[in-house]
Every structure is written in C-alpha cells, then in structure tokens.
Amino acid sequence: MSTVSETALFTPTKIGAIPVANRIAMAPLTRSRADMDGNHTPLAIDYYRQRASAGLIIAEATNISRQGRGYALTPGIYTDAHVEAWRPVTRAVHEAGGSIVLQLWHVGRVSHSNLQADGAAPVAPSAIQAGGNVFTLNGNEPPTMPRALATEEIAGLVQDYRNAATKAKQAGFDGVEVHVANGYLLEQFLRDSTNHRTDQYGGSIENRARLPIEVVTAVAEIWGADRVGVRLSPMSTAIGDTPLDSTPQQTYGYLAEQLGRLGLAYLHAIEGQTRSENAVAAFDYKALHASFGGAYIANNGYDRQMAIDAVDSGHADMVSFGRHFIGNPDLVERLRRDAPLFQAPGEAYYGGGAKGYTDFATLDAA
Ligand code: 8OZ
C-alpha cells in the first residue's frame, strides 16, 4: 500500500496534450442550472472555479444542437451566446491553475418533443422508444417515441459535432470529450439493442461503430486528436433503460482499437452500471484499455484507496470522481489528507440555484 508521498495519484502528468496537476479528474456532472436557452449563469463560474484543483475538469454534458437536448436547463455549445456564457468559466479555471474540457452531448432518443424545436420527435438510429424519464418543461416524463434518422441526415449530424467542437475552442476549453456512453445517441448507434438499421450505419460492429468514429474523427480535425477524449459505458443500462449490446467485449473493443489509432488524448470508461456503488466483473476493462493503447481514465464507485491502487498498478492514468465532487470542492486536498468526505444531499443535484451547488465548504473553511 503506497503512502501519499509514494503514490502517483497526486503527481502531475500530461493526458494527451493537456497538462494535469494530479491524476484526479472531475467527472462530467449534469446539474441543470443553465437557463432554458442553454446559457450558463455566472453561478457556473464559481462552481467550476471552486473545483479547479482537480487535475482535469470534464465539464458537464453539453448539447451540441437543439435536437441533441433531452433535459431542460442543460447547457449548450452551439450558439455564440453559449460561447460567451462558457468563456468566463474556462478563464476562471485557468486562472486557478486547472485544466477543463467540455463533454459534447447528443441525447438521441432520450428526449421529449416538448424540448425539441416545433415539438418535433427526437431522433435515433431506429424508432425504438427509450424507457425511464427525462426532465422536461413539465417535470419528469417518459421519452417520446423517436424517429429513425435517414442516411442522408447523418452528415449533418457530424457537422453539428464539428460546429460544437469549434465553439468549445472559441470558449477557451483545453479540449473536448465525446459522450459515447449512458445510452445517448452515439451509444444508441453502437449497440445492436438500439440500432436495427440496414444501411452502412447498422448491422455489423464496423457499421455500428461508424458514426462514433466519424464524429470523433471530425472533432479531432478541429482540436488535434491529443485534445480529444471519449467516454464509454459498455455495461451500463442505467439511462433510458438501454439494453446491453449482445457482444460488449467485441463491440467496445473494436471501437476502442479504432479510437486508439486516431491518437486520442484519453479513453474514459464508466466501469459497471452508471451511478452504482462499484464496478462489476462481467467486462474486462483492462482489455478495453489495451485495445485503446493510450491514456485511460477509470470511473465509477472509486474510493481513495481504490484510486491509489488503480493509478499505481497501471490500471488507470487518472481516476474520475463524480458525486464526491459535488459536496467536496477541494476533493483533491481531502483525498491527499485522507480527510472525511461530505455527502451532498441528492435533492440539490439537479436544478435550483447556489444552494447545493456553490455553497459547500472546503476543509480549511470548515
Ligand atoms: C444525470 C442526469 C441527466 C443526464 C449522463 C448526461 O449520465 C448524463 C446525465 C446524468 O451521462
């Protein structure tokens, strides 16, 4: 067991081209505090600044287009106003010595027509309805039945990612993470449970991985591959009741290998079921990491000792923490000192103002 001075967890490195002061990342966290147009309020500046001692902040899932939105009050990165709303956030994090990337998000079928322009149906690889609930203008409601995208529409979708990636650059981020996890659009294409297409974007693993690869390639053209990461969740069904792929190890392994060839900054894996307490065994994440070949960020249910072990054993280059960063803005320092962690009440996770968002004490203030 390594001590604080021996473990690599608190040491700096580079993830792709992005300098990180330690191996602790802040996982992307939906907090639903933007306005209805997807513009952050100044509260988000304080929120991210307070957490800038994370080696890398992966800012919350952010809509790449109006069509890509599935939850009210989530931020966007497709208008000039979005750029202006994000810019002071990135400036504040940089002034505090941190690094910050933005997660690019299209929800696909996990949406409701009352969040779409002109009440349109959400889009998906196939017209298969998602389960669960989405946070709409009228509170929680089941997702609307989606419409299957026409082959001719796919190039426009890639263009939406390109536009969002360009805007993220204008907003001063250090890079972007493409969200290919949690049952949203790109994972809907990847899994044979949600993709029943018969064109070049459906059928074989190669075909189902085509859109994620096209999107990541397009985004890497804008940023340079060494500033682009990808998030995967091979074994998660938590959001949208999304059934697993029939051969996850092969499907995600193929995608990871192809992404590795692009020379990306990192692969970020949710190990097990999203929001569960711990990783489950039924998937070989080391094989996934090996197929990718580059830096690996491990996530889901890690505690301090697990994070130390993951980094020191070579399992991961970084470990990301989600919920612990909500109530502990100085999580890095608390882990360094092995201090108690504050458990933020779940009521404050989504929506509201400063309460439960920017009002958590640091160790030194407490
Ligand atoms: C919680 C609530 C809404 C969205 C994810 C973007 O899980 C999310 C999300 C999480 O990836």
Side-chain angles (χ1 to χ4, degrees):
M1 220 164 87
S2 21
T3 65
V4 166
S5 58
E6 286 162 358
T7 177
L9 191 63
F10 303 103
T11 63
T13 186
K14 273 177 112 178
I15 296 293
I18 306 167
V20 301
N22 55 66
R23 314 305 182 86
I24 297 160
M26 176 175 163
L29 293 167
T30 291
R31 304 302 310 277
S32 306
R33 281 169 167 87
D35 68 20
M36 271 315 298
D37 296 320
N39 294 308
H40 262 313
T41 73
L43 267 184
I45 306 170
D46 294 335
Y47 168 72
Y48 282 110
R49 180 198 289 115
Q50 289 168 353
R51 289 157 181 77
S53 58
L56 180 66
I57 293 175
I58 305 164
E60 69 207 83
T62 297
N63 306 303
I64 61 150
S65 63
R66 176 74 189 274
Q67 184 194 65
R69 180 172 76 159
Y71 301 79
L73 310 179
T74 50
I77 189 70
Y78 53 91
T79 69
D80 291 336
H82 294 150
V83 173
E84 293 315 314
W86 275 114
R87 207 194 305 269
V89 172
T90 63
R91 191 182 303 129
V93 169
H94 289 147
E95 281 170 7
S99 291
I100 180 167
V101 301
L102 184 64
Q103 195 191 45
L104 301 181
W105 190 30
H106 189 306
V107 297
R109 67 181 194 152
V110 186
S111 184
H112 194 281
S113 53
N114 75 20
L115 294 166
Q116 297 286 321
D118 305 321
V123 300
S126 303
I128 305 169
Q129 193 167 3
N133 278 310
V134 285
F135 179 50
T136 77
L137 303 182
N138 308 315
N140 282 322
E141 294 185 85
T144 307
M145 181 71 177
R147 132 184 116 69
L149 283 156
T151 309
E152 301 73 50
E153 289 178 277
I154 305 257
L157 205 53
V158 177
Q159 185 54 36
D160 287 344
Y161 276 95
R162 208 176 269 126
N163 175 57
T166 303
K167 291 233 169 341
K169 208 166 183 184
Q170 291 163 358
F173 286 94
D174 296 297
V176 289
E177 174 176 290
V178 180
H179 197 339
V180 192
N182 289 343
Y184 298 117
L185 182 75
L186 296 177
E187 194 176 58
Q188 290 158 26
F189 269 85
L190 189 61
R191 290 190 182 180
D192 54 10
S193 60
T194 42
N195 181 343
H196 295 177
R197 300 178 71 88
T198 54
D199 63 2
Q200 67 269 39
Y201 293 96
S204 63
I205 292 174
E206 289 76 4
N207 280 357
R208 284 182 277 121
R210 190 179 309 281
L211 181 60
I213 293 167
E214 284 183 2
V215 164
V216 174
T217 303
V219 167
E221 277 165 16
I222 287 156
W223 273 97
D226 56 3
R227 290 184 178 274
V228 176
V230 167
R231 196 173 201 213
L232 301 178
S233 58
M235 297 304 282
S236 188
T237 57
I239 295 166
D241 286 341
T242 311
L244 293 179
D245 186 68
S246 61
T247 60
Q249 201 75 52
Q250 288 88 328
T251 300
Y252 288 81
Y254 171 80
L255 177 60
E257 187 185 336
Q258 298 302 313
L259 295 175
R261 288 192 187 162
L262 298 176
L264 299 188
Y266 67 83
L267 186 72
H268 183 189
I270 299 169
E271 299 174 343
Q273 182 78 330
T274 305
R275 302 182 197 142
S276 71
E277 287 314 307
N278 217 318
V280 292
F283 187 90
D284 185 349
Y285 295 95
K286 291 193 195 315
L288 186 77
H289 181 187
S291 298
F292 177 64
Y296 179 84
I297 306 179
N299 172 253
N300 210 20
Y302 277 75
D303 63 17
R304 178 180 190 274
Q305 192 59 49
M306 289 165 72
I308 288 173
D309 293 344
V311 166
D312 293 341
S313 69
H315 173 66
D317 298 271
M318 297 185 86
V319 174
S320 71
F321 291 86
R323 283 161 293 184
H324 285 319
F325 261 112
I326 294 180
N328 303 276
D330 57 346
L331 181 63
V332 173
E333 187 55 23
R334 287 180 193 241
L335 294 177
R336 199 191 319 265
R337 294 195 216 168
D338 203 7
L341 302 183
F342 183 74
Q343 303 299 331
E347 308 90 77
Y349 281 10
Y350 307 116
K355 188 167 161 16
Y357 189 49
T358 54
D359 61 350
F360 293 106
T362 59
L363 269 182
D364 291 328

